Amino acid sequence: MRVFKIPFDIKREEKIFGGYLSLRQVLYLMLSASSLILCIAPLHTILKICCITLISSFFLLCAFLKIGEQNFDKFFFYAFKYISRKRKFVYERCQKW
């Protein structure tokens, strides 16, 4: 039986939807669109607009923005982990003999 090598590019995402969007991007677009559910919330109109704009712009950044070769969602996750990590400060006093 013949064995063939299958080309596989692990540096890029597979563009599943129409050759333009990956599954990750489609999920973030759905989350961005679902922020419109705040329209039925009993809030002031200005507050609704601000919340919808913030939420949808964050998810759109996660879907499409790349910083260097890294996607914004991974960059945000790493930054959040860095900020919220447990810090250990060691205080040692130098002793001179």
Side-chain angles (χ1 to χ4, degrees):
M1 185 164 98
R2 297 175 89 184
V3 177
F4 296 99
K5 282 190 172 185
I6 299 173
F8 186 70
D9 188 10
I10 59 173
K11 291 187 178 189
R12 296 186 184 151
E13 293 178 313
E14 289 188 37
K15 303 292 184 178
I16 298 172
F17 297 95
Y20 298 109
L21 298 173
S22 66
L23 180 62
R24 180 187 61 82
Q25 289 173 327
V26 169
L27 290 175
Y28 281 125
L29 285 174
M30 288 171 38
L31 287 171
S32 176
S34 68
S35 70
L36 293 174
I37 202 154
L38 289 175
C39 289
I40 61 172
L43 298 171
H44 293 290
T45 307
I46 301 298
L47 190 59
K48 285 181 191 179
I49 292 171
C50 290
C51 288
I52 290 171
T53 304
L54 286 174
I55 293 169
S56 63
S57 63
F58 175 74
F59 285 126
L60 288 174
L61 285 174
C62 287
F64 296 112
L65 181 66
K66 277 191 171 184
I67 300 172
E69 287 293 316
Q70 190 172 14
N71 294 325
F72 179 76
D73 57 345
K74 289 183 184 177
F75 185 77
F76 180 77
F77 177 69
Y78 291 147
F80 181 74
K81 273 179 50 176
Y82 177 76
I83 291 169
S84 65
R85 76 177 194 270
K86 197 178 244 187
R87 291 172 181 84
K88 181 180 178 184
F89 297 106
V90 177
Y91 176 73
E92 292 182 18
R93 195 172 198 185
C94 281
Q95 295 180 359
K96 293 186 180 180
W97 295 94

